[in-house]
């Protein structure tokens, strides 16, 4: 009787007995044979937006140029016309080679989850040659947990001594008109980061990671005053993990 009862129960609720745990919405299991264990490698789409936390002026528009822009998972919900958003002026006369410098536009924060791709959305109010050419080249440095998916390069300090720093990769970007016409959007995606930095796709490595990104705006086609802007509905600048591939595509496994 007990055996028959068990078989009947299994027939009624087969999913509770035999089903493999499904990946959460917006995620896929990297290993097709995953059994729903706690250490399965999940590739989840997570958007991290630039924050207006460190502003200097009473109006909340001018970001502190000496502090890297932080990240938040909360999407902007206020229009620029309703006092939303902020920005920072950039005069591209000099550029740095370190990850965070006062000479470049820096972003730094924490992200959560396994990482295979990163898609960047930037917005810029500027008076440069790019207004006519509709393209701009930015020097980009990225580190995740201190490691660069682009590799490293050798530079020299003021004493002439060599040192290693994250590689600055020149990335050509196409300009996209914003809805207001006041700013231009720029998009690019770095793919195969998990192949280049394998620990980011290792089982159990879906927790928090530190990410730092530096944009050098000192290319010839970017000469002139620029104001990166973010934090408003019209300019939702962001770094999205494992999301849609947009703009210029950089394969991390082919760099350096």
């Amino acid at each position: 009787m007990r055996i028959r009862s068990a078989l009947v129960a299994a027939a009624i609720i087969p999913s509770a007995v035999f089903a493999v745990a499904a990946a959460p919405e917006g995620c896929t299991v990297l290993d097709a044979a995953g059994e729903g264990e706690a250490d399965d490698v999940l590739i989840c789409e997570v958007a991290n937006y630039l924050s207006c936390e460190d502003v200097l002026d009473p109006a909340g528009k001018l970001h502190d140029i000496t502090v890297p822009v932080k990240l938040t998972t909360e999407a902007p919900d206020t229009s620029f016309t309703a006092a939303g958003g902020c920005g920072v002026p950039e005069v591209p006369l000099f550029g740095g080679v370190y990850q965070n410098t006062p000479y470049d536009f820096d972003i730094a924060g924490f992200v959560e989850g396994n990482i295979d791709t990163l898609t960047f959305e930037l917005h810029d109010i500027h008076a440069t040659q790019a207004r006519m050419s509709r393209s701009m080249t930015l020097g980009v440095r990225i580190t995740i947990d201190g490691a660069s998916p682009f590799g490293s390069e050798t530079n020299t300090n003021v004493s002439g001594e060599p040192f290693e720093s994250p590689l600055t990769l020149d990335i050509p970007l196409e300009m996209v008109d914003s809805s207001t016409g006041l700013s231009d959007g720029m998009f690019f995606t770095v793919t195969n980061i998990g192949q280049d930095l394998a620990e980011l796709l290792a089982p159990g490595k879906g927790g928090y990671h530190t990410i730092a990104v530096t944009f050098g705006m000192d290319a010839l086609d970017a000469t002139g005053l620029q104001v990166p802007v973010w934090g408003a509905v019209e300019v939702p600048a962001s770094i999205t993990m494992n999301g849609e591939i947009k703009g210029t595509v950089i394969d991390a496994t082919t760099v350096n």
Side-chain angles (χ1 to χ4, degrees):
M1 181 65 69
R2 291 181 179 177
I3 294 176
R4 182 180 178 184
S5 298
L7 291 174
V8 171
I12 295 174
I13 50 172
S15 60
V17 179
F18 301 112
V20 173
E25 183 178 356
C27 304
T28 57
V29 180
L30 182 66
D31 182 2
E35 298 296 332
E37 300 296 334
D39 63 351
D40 275 348
V41 178
L42 294 177
I43 304 298
C44 303
E45 180 175 348
V46 182
N48 300 276
Y49 297 90
L50 276 61
S51 166
C52 288
E53 178 179 339
D54 296 300
V55 291
L56 296 174
D57 60 321
K61 289 293 186 181
L62 182 63
H63 192 276
D64 187 349
I65 194 173
T66 66
V67 178
V69 178
K70 295 183 176 66
L71 294 171
T72 176
T73 55
E74 296 183 9
D77 59 4
T78 306
S79 169
F80 244 107
T81 59
C86 60
V88 61
E90 281 286 316
V91 181
L93 299 178
F94 305 98
V97 295
Y98 295 99
Q99 190 57 51
N100 293 320
T101 78
Y103 306 111
D104 295 316
F105 178 46
D106 300 313
I107 301 169
F110 295 94
V111 298
E112 184 179 12
N114 297 106
I115 302 173
D116 192 38
T117 69
L118 292 174
T119 296
F120 296 82
E121 176 176 347
L122 304 173
H123 294 272
D124 192 12
I125 297 174
H126 61 106
T128 71
Q129 296 94 319
R131 279 288 186 184
M132 297 296 294
S133 66
R134 308 307 296 152
S135 64
M136 182 184 293
T137 300
L138 298 184
V140 181
R141 291 189 294 277
I142 301 173
T143 58
I144 305 171
D145 296 336
S148 171
F150 299 155
S152 63
E153 61 184 351
T154 302
N155 290 284
T156 56
N157 60 23
V158 292
S159 301
E161 299 172 342
F163 67 93
E164 293 295 311
S165 60
L167 176 68
T168 300
L169 185 67
D170 290 334
I171 301 180
L173 305 174
E174 296 300 317
M175 316 299 286
V176 179
D177 292 334
S178 69
S179 59
T180 63
L182 297 176
S183 63
D184 286 315
M186 294 176 283
F187 301 83
F188 71 95
T189 301
V190 183
T191 64
N192 292 324
I193 296 173
Q195 292 186 41
D196 190 65
L197 301 176
E199 63 273 15
L200 297 177
L201 291 184
K205 296 297 183 180
Y208 285 96
H209 302 280
T210 60
I211 184 169
V213 187
T214 296
F215 297 100
M217 297 182 167
D218 55 344
L220 292 178
D221 56 9
T223 301
L225 179 64
Q226 298 181 71
V227 182
V229 289
W230 63 92
V233 173
E234 299 89 343
V235 286
S238 61
I239 303 174
T240 300
M241 301 158 48
N242 312 315
E244 181 183 356
I245 294 176
K246 297 181 180 180
T248 304
V249 179
I250 305 297
D251 186 337
T253 62
T254 64
V255 179
N256 203 23

